[in-house]
Amino acid sequence: MPFFLLLGLLLFISCFAYIINFVDSMTIIFKIRVFLVALSAVCIAILFCWNGQQLIDTSDLYISLAGAPWYYWNLENIKILLIFMTNCTKHESVIFTGICVDYNLFVSMVRISVSYALVLYNLRKSSLV
C-alpha cells in the first residue's frame, strides 16, 4: 500500500508540474493527452477513496436492512439478516500501515501534489531569471 500511495503521489506531482511548467510550449493534441492522463489519474484516486469511504459509512445499509420485511421470511434467513445487521454496526475501513483509504486521503494527496508542483514551478521560474 505505501508503494502504491507513493507511486500515485509521484504521478500526481509529475502531471501537475508538467502541466504548469510546459503549458506554453505544448501543442493542442499534447495538451489534450496530458489532460486526459491527469483526469484519469484523478478519477482512479477518487474511485479508490470513495470505495474506502463506503466501507466506513455503513449506516445507510443498516437502515435499509432494518426496513426489510423479515416477518415473511423463514427462521434461517431471519438469523442471517440479524447477523448481517450486527456486522453492519461495526465500521470497517481499509487501513494499511496507518493510512486509511477515505476522502481525507484524496484531499491530502491533491494538496500535497499541488503544493509540490507549485514549488517545482517556482524553482523553474527562479532559475530562469
Side-chain angles (χ1 to χ4, degrees):
M1 175 72 180
F3 174 72
F4 291 117
L5 182 65
L6 181 67
L7 190 65
L9 195 61
L10 289 175
L11 178 69
F12 273 149
I13 292 170
S14 64
C15 283
F16 288 138
Y18 195 80
I19 290 170
I20 290 172
N21 285 321
F22 300 111
V23 74
D24 52 347
S25 64
M26 286 192 246
T27 63
I28 299 295
I29 293 176
F30 195 65
K31 285 180 187 178
I32 293 171
R33 287 180 182 168
V34 170
F35 176 73
L36 288 177
V37 167
L39 183 69
S40 65
V42 168
C43 288
I44 289 170
I46 287 172
L47 284 176
F48 278 131
C49 294
W50 180 73
N51 286 332
Q53 188 69 38
Q54 292 302 313
L55 285 175
I56 296 170
D57 299 336
T58 57
S59 61
D60 295 336
L61 181 63
Y62 183 81
I63 290 170
S64 64
L65 286 175
W70 57 269
Y71 36 85
Y72 293 126
W73 299 352
N74 61 10
L75 185 61
E76 183 180 342
N77 288 340
I78 292 172
K79 287 180 183 179
I80 291 172
L81 175 70
L82 290 176
I83 290 170
F84 195 63
M85 287 177 69
T86 304
N87 289 336
C88 283
T89 59
K90 301 173 189 171
H91 295 290
E92 298 292 330
S93 58
V94 181
I95 298 176
F96 294 111
T97 64
I99 300 168
C100 183
V101 179
D102 59 354
Y103 292 146
N104 293 331
L105 174 68
F106 177 73
V107 170
S108 64
M109 281 180 60
V110 169
R111 189 186 66 213
I112 290 170
S113 300
V114 171
S115 67
Y116 278 127
L118 289 175
V119 165
L120 291 173
Y121 174 72
N122 287 335
L123 282 173
R124 181 179 179 265
K125 195 165 101 176
S126 66
S127 68
L128 292 177
V129 174

